[in-house]
Amino acid sequence: MLAWRPAPQMTRLHARVKGVTPLRQLQRKPTTASSVLAHVSCSGRRDYHVAVVGSGPAGFYTTKYLFKQAPDLCVDMFERLPTPFGLVRFGVAPDHPEVKNVTNDFAQVAASPGFRFLGNVEVGKDVTLPELQREYDAVIMCTGAEGERMLGIPGEDLSGVMGAPAFVKWYNGHPDYVGLNPLQHAGESAVVLGQGNVAIDIARILTRPPNELHSTDIHAGALAQIGEWQRDGLRTVHLVGRRGFVQAAFTNAELRELLTISDEVLPIVDPDELALCRNPASEQELAKNRMKKRSVDILSKMAENFALKDTTSKRIIWLRFLWSPAAVLPSSDGKRVAGVRLDRNELHGEPGKQAAVKSSNGFQEDVACGIVLRSVGFQLTPMQGVPLNDSKRVPHIQGRVTCPTEAGDAGGGLYVSGWAKRGPQGTVATNIPDAQETAKRVLQDLKERGPPSGIDATNRGPTMVTPGTRVVSFADWQRLEAEEARRGSDCGKSASKFTDVGEMLQVLG
């Protein structure tokens, strides 16, 4: 009979909080031929043990497809926070709960016999990447992209200029960002620079009335602040893109939703600006893109609304095309945002390769605003032991990390999946083919390597985690999740999220 047998070293993984149960006692009841560190059979053989760093969509999808092809595999998933799901929990808009249903699929992955969640463990602090590589047969980095692209324009450092990644995590209750406290007053207008789905999410959250968002899991403090901005006169959100609607990154679903999301929100676009977008090269792009063709009807309805912009009592989402920010304009005291100077653009280049170039007529427009939100893309942040090339991307072949100068040289059992692999782009579902490829590469490499060396399971595992660390299991997370739902039901919300790590650990005891 096969059973879980924790290695002696694992008992060192005890709690940061005095009196917390040691990790040995947190293991599940015996279910399969798995030990805490490696899958050991009665004959002494074991299956491979893989570490996944990051518990967002990339981490869970990659784990899912590892298990699909190798059900007896053992996977340890490391997460810096006590809570899993990454971008789904802290990036998906609170008024899109249907997107968050993917966590039900992830919970099924977590129920796999060979899976273990190690939350509240930061790789690079509580355990190093080289240590993981020594202890595991493969390490898969699914850490996403924590950095942000900057505009590089004058005034970008003024108070009132914020990055979309931080702003989104603020209203989604991320423990690192709930204290962001953006501004007391946002003025009558906000400018969102960028036209991807994240930018549209932000515009929607800024304009929808608080009573429509109260029942979601939005952070209560953020909702109260946004409500105060609206009461103080926040009326218009400008969504500014440097190219035309044909090249814009938003999806039709996000765009169409603006037409019906609220009776108190009016989406508009200048008909003349739409016409400027349709140069000959863009017409060729449009002819070959069925989805973009459908966006024409949506934008045409918004163009019909344009005549109402000066008379409507509704809050306005104004899509602006062919504009680039030239500078953030300061207030009279030079300390905070007062507006954004925009340069008119033209599109130059072949179909599918058009670039936005400052218009030859030199036309500019100053847009008064009290808040500016950059939504021009995420950026990978360097991590010790993970190479980045000149394009700030992790060099890899089918997910296997390679040395920057030796494309065929494997990086010591190191792999990437998700944004860490392909760069910060795509939706939650984009991670699926990405994860399938990486999982296939990992298992193929392990198969070519041959049977795991040695028969002693204690030779592998996260024995190096900082003593005193309170490791949070998936069962612990489910306790936190249930408490969030209970607290939410008490105040008419789908959930009231924990936003403080210390409070989470205290609740777990």
Side-chain angles (χ1 to χ4, degrees):
M1 184 173 178
L2 307 178
W4 289 92
R5 298 190 303 169
Q9 299 97 315
M10 290 298 292
T11 59
R12 300 174 191 168
L13 287 170
H14 50 86
R16 284 189 179 126
V17 182
K18 184 178 180 181
V20 174
T21 307
L23 185 60
R24 175 182 292 183
Q25 299 178 34
L26 293 175
Q27 304 310 318
R28 296 187 299 271
K29 295 180 180 180
T31 51
T32 67
S34 301
S35 75
V36 171
L37 302 183
H39 195 175
V40 183
S41 73
C42 55
S43 64
R45 293 181 60 82
R46 67 173 181 82
D47 285 312
Y48 288 106
H49 205 94
V50 175
V52 171
V53 181
S55 67
F60 271 100
Y61 277 128
T62 303
T63 302
K64 175 180 178 177
Y65 290 106
L66 285 171
F67 282 142
K68 274 185 173 293
Q69 300 176 64
D72 291 332
L73 195 72
C74 288
V75 175
D76 281 350
M77 180 177 286
F78 292 82
E79 167 58 49
R80 179 175 69 87
L81 294 173
T83 56
F85 307 142
L87 194 64
V88 176
R89 180 174 172 88
F90 298 121
V92 173
D95 58 348
H96 283 174
E98 71 284 353
V99 179
K100 300 184 182 186
N101 288 337
V102 71
T103 59
N104 296 327
D105 186 22
F106 298 162
Q108 291 180 9
V109 174
S112 302
F115 177 89
R116 193 170 54 136
F117 178 71
L118 289 90
N120 198 41
V121 177
E122 182 175 355
V123 174
K125 178 182 176 183
D126 298 312
V127 58
T128 69
L129 181 57
E131 287 171 331
L132 291 183
Q133 288 182 265
R134 286 198 302 268
E135 299 294 335
Y136 287 89
D137 299 301
V139 178
I140 308 173
M141 304 301 294
C142 304
T143 48
E146 293 293 327
E148 181 200 0
R149 292 180 185 171
M150 305 298 286
L151 298 168
I153 60 175
E156 191 172 6
D157 57 347
L158 289 170
S159 174
V161 180
M162 286 171 282
F167 193 77
V168 169
K169 290 175 182 176
W170 170 65
Y171 65 62
N172 272 320
H174 192 293
D176 295 346
Y177 294 91
V178 288
L180 186 63
N181 192 23
L183 289 169
Q184 292 301 313
H185 304 286
E188 295 183 2
S189 297
V191 172
V192 181
L193 299 170
Q195 290 185 335
N197 285 347
V198 172
I200 289 183
D201 285 346
I202 291 172
R204 205 174 57 247
I205 296 300
L206 284 174
T207 53
R208 292 192 70 180
N211 65 290
E212 293 182 2
L213 295 171
H214 173 77
S215 62
T216 71
D217 64 359
I218 190 171
H219 175 48
L223 184 60
Q225 181 64 77
I226 293 170
E228 185 176 333
W229 291 340
Q230 292 180 0
R231 289 190 297 273
D232 288 345
L234 179 59
R235 180 175 180 269
T236 303
V237 176
H238 300 262
L239 272 174
V240 180
R242 60 189 176 88
R243 295 193 292 175
F245 74 88
V246 180
Q247 296 80 28
F250 52 65
T251 61
N252 285 346
E254 292 273 352
L255 189 66
R256 186 182 298 108
E257 185 182 24
L258 296 180
L259 292 169
T260 58
I261 194 63
S262 173
D263 291 336
E264 297 185 35
V265 177
L266 184 73
I268 67 172
V269 63
D270 186 341
D272 292 338
E273 210 157 79
L274 280 185
L276 284 176
C277 294
R278 301 187 67 161
N279 65 340
S282 292
E283 289 289 359
Q284 292 184 51
E285 292 179 31
L286 198 60
K288 298 177 181 179
N289 191 321
R290 183 181 303 175
M291 297 303 293
K292 284 298 180 181
K293 284 182 182 178
R294 293 174 181 170
S295 73
V296 173
D297 289 339
I298 303 170
L299 291 166
S300 295
K301 293 177 182 178
M302 294 182 182
E304 292 172 5
N305 293 336
F306 189 72
L308 303 174
K309 73 179 179 67
D310 295 324
T311 58
T312 183
S313 60
K314 299 179 180 182
R315 281 179 289 278
I316 293 171
I317 297 177
W318 186 349
L319 279 78
R320 314 288 303 271
F321 298 105
L322 297 171
W323 293 102
S324 285
V328 178
L329 305 176
S331 58
S332 57
D333 61 7
K335 294 181 179 180
R336 54 161 297 139
V337 171
V340 177
R341 177 159 295 158
L342 302 175
D343 286 337
R344 169 63 79 192
N345 290 334
E346 299 172 349
L347 293 176
H348 290 184
E350 301 175 4
K353 298 180 181 179
Q354 295 189 86
V357 178
K358 186 176 178 178
S359 175
S360 56
N361 62 23
F363 185 72
Q364 292 183 322
E365 179 179 339
D366 290 350
V367 179
C369 64
I371 185 171
V372 176
L373 292 157
R374 285 183 306 263
S375 187
V376 292
F378 295 80
Q379 193 67 271
L380 298 186
T381 52
M383 182 174 183
Q384 187 173 5
V386 181
L388 291 179
N389 59 25
D390 293 339
S391 301
K392 301 298 182 183
R393 294 288 182 266
V394 179
H396 69 89
I397 296 176
Q398 297 176 336
R400 181 208 292 157
V401 175
T402 61
C403 293
T405 57
E406 299 178 30
D409 184 18
L414 188 62
Y415 300 81
V416 285
S417 188
W419 280 5
K421 175 184 177 184
R422 69 180 184 275
Q425 58 184 333
T427 64
V428 171
T430 311
N431 289 287
I432 294 175
D434 200 57
Q436 289 171 329
E437 181 185 62
T438 295
K440 182 179 179 180
R441 180 74 268 167
V442 169
L443 295 174
Q444 184 174 333
D445 287 350
L446 293 179
K447 181 179 179 181
E448 292 175 357
R449 184 190 301 176
S453 60
I455 61 173
D456 185 359
T458 64
N459 289 334
R460 292 173 183 264
T463 60
M464 70 300 295
V465 174
T466 304
T469 300
R470 187 357 172 149
V471 179
V472 175
S473 69
F474 200 81
D476 288 334
W477 151 245
Q478 290 175 319
R479 287 173 56 196
L480 293 174
E481 184 181 36
E483 178 62 14
E484 288 183 340
R486 186 196 67 77
R487 293 184 180 190
S489 66
D490 289 344
C491 57
K493 296 174 66 66
S494 59
S496 179
K497 291 179 180 176
F498 287 105
T499 59
D500 181 80
V501 171
E503 184 185 7
M504 295 183 212
L505 299 182
Q506 186 177 16
V507 167
L508 292 175

